[in-house]
Amino acid sequence: MRLTEAAERVFARHETFHPRYGWFRKAYECVGKDPKIFVSPDAPVHMGVGKNMVRAIRFWGTAAKLIESPDGRPASGMTRTDQGNRLFGEDGWDPYMEDPATLWLLHWWLLAPPCWLPVWWVAFNQFHAVEFSDEQLERVVLEQLRLVEWKTPHGSSIRKDVSALIRTYMPTDGTGRGMIDDLLNCPLRELGLIKRSAATNQYRFATGAQPGLPAAVVAYASLDYVERTKQGGNTVTVSRLACEPGGPGRAFRISEDDLRDALASVAEDNGKIEVATVAGAPQLSWHGSARHISNSILDDHYGRPAEGVTTSEAPS
């Protein structure tokens, strides 16, 4: 998958704010109460945040695919998405973000196509340095953007997106109360996907087995990726899922073996999918709708069958 196929040409729309704890849920809840809340002059009062934060919350809710603007104009009203309802609805999988799997799920949705964070997409999918600085990542992103047909954004926009990426995933060195405050500041830091090298003090992506990553989320993301990319058929090689840009292997920074083991674990537990080796290559197969099966896998993980929207929630 190429960047132009996976992402929208959107840069620095987060008002320099990384996603804070509760913002994803707040975006979903506020749209349910008032589809035009984000363009209301009283939004800062109703939401209890500053004006710039209102725009940031709208951005992060949209980027995580929890809310959307059907006609591309927020002034016409926002709606809740199917997956937003499944996650945060009254009978959703995890309305109060109590299960660590939810953080991995939100991370996947932020990167899944259509991705509203092309700089992040490049970082996770086309950036191969073992250790790096902000400046090195900025240079690689600019190089990748020059290779596509998009008009290259201003360098300051790239810097803002790189800074937001680091602040979203990079924990501070605090302990005790400081660590708790850090996770409340941005819950996705709990994933540990970006760390600091003790030897060089540079950043590095945490690659390999991810102890906190549930197998169910890996299986969901694999089927979700197949569905979003419209690959057709009912089989896909594990190698493709692990190595293809935009796939779950790169998003979660796990190896082909780790991905295969996660899929095999889900297949053994519920039988909705199957992992078999064909001509020496492990393959994932399923029968029926990949979307239905992926949602049912999370139903099993969370222990409750969540329902999405069956009809559009029309803005008022």
Side-chain angles (χ1 to χ4, degrees):
M1 173 173 280
R2 297 180 301 173
L3 173 64
T4 51
E5 298 169 328
E8 301 292 330
R9 190 187 178 279
V10 176
F11 301 95
R13 296 280 184 87
H14 41 68
E15 302 288 328
T16 73
F17 292 106
H18 56 271
R20 308 292 177 86
Y21 186 84
W23 278 13
F24 295 112
R25 177 175 166 78
K26 183 183 285 288
Y28 171 84
E29 285 189 328
C30 288
V31 166
K33 295 175 181 177
D34 180 1
K36 296 184 179 181
I37 182 65
F38 289 112
V39 294
S40 168
D42 297 328
V45 176
H46 292 305
M47 298 178 70
V49 298
K51 186 176 181 179
N52 287 356
M53 283 189 177
V54 170
R55 292 192 291 267
I57 291 170
R58 183 183 71 194
F59 171 80
W60 289 114
T62 303
K65 303 169 183 62
L66 302 170
I67 58 174
E68 63 185 356
S69 175
D71 64 359
R73 295 184 301 118
S76 298
M78 307 288 289
T79 62
R80 295 169 164 182
T81 64
D82 178 87
Q83 64 194 43
N85 280 287
R86 289 181 184 277
L87 182 61
F88 288 140
E90 184 177 349
D91 297 315
W93 288 320
D94 190 16
Y96 301 104
M97 293 180 65
E98 298 171 310
D99 191 319
T102 297
L103 300 180
W104 288 101
L105 191 59
L106 288 169
H107 165 71
W108 167 252
W109 285 341
L110 286 171
L111 293 177
C115 175
W116 279 53
L117 293 154
V119 170
W120 293 28
W121 195 92
V122 170
F124 276 94
N125 292 285
Q126 296 179 319
F127 185 61
H128 306 293
V130 176
E131 297 184 354
F132 61 95
S133 64
D134 301 69
E135 294 77 13
Q136 289 171 321
L137 180 53
E138 289 168 20
R139 285 197 298 270
V140 171
V141 168
L142 282 170
E143 290 170 2
Q144 291 296 323
L145 292 177
R146 292 190 183 107
L147 296 177
V148 300
E149 299 173 355
W150 290 347
K151 179 182 177 181
T152 304
H154 195 277
S156 64
S157 296
I158 302 300
R159 284 192 293 275
K160 290 175 183 177
D161 279 339
V162 168
S163 174
L165 169 68
I166 300 300
R167 286 182 283 116
T168 296
Y169 293 100
M170 175 70 196
T172 64
D173 297 327
T175 58
R177 179 64 191 178
M179 181 61 72
I180 294 174
D181 290 341
D182 188 46
L183 295 178
L184 289 175
N185 188 34
C186 186
L188 295 183
R189 292 174 185 170
E190 188 175 334
L191 304 183
L193 284 169
I194 297 180
K195 299 181 178 181
R196 191 179 294 278
S197 170
T200 65
N201 205 37
Q202 289 194 313
Y203 306 119
R204 63 185 304 154
F205 282 104
T207 301
Q210 306 288 357
L213 174 60
V217 175
V218 176
Y220 169 88
S222 297
L223 293 170
D224 187 49
Y225 180 67
V226 169
E227 182 72 15
R228 290 180 186 276
T229 53
K230 309 297 182 185
Q231 296 186 28
N234 64 345
T235 62
V236 62
T237 64
V238 175
S239 175
R240 185 172 187 177
L241 294 171
C243 302
E244 187 170 81
R250 296 205 182 188
F252 298 135
R253 291 278 161 164
I254 56 176
S255 69
E256 182 176 343
D257 288 343
D258 293 326
L259 198 149
R260 181 199 61 217
D261 291 346
L263 294 174
S265 173
V266 173
E268 182 179 353
D269 287 343
N270 61 34
K272 294 181 174 69
I273 59 176
E274 181 179 354
V275 178
T277 300
V278 179
Q283 292 186 347
L284 169 67
S285 62
W286 60 95
H287 299 286
S289 164
R291 171 67 61 231
H292 175 76
I293 295 172
S294 64
N295 286 330
S296 70
I297 287 172
L298 289 187
D299 286 344
D300 291 344
H301 171 82
Y302 285 106
R304 57 194 307 176
E307 294 185 1
V309 289
T310 55
T311 58
S312 175
E313 297 179 356
S316 60

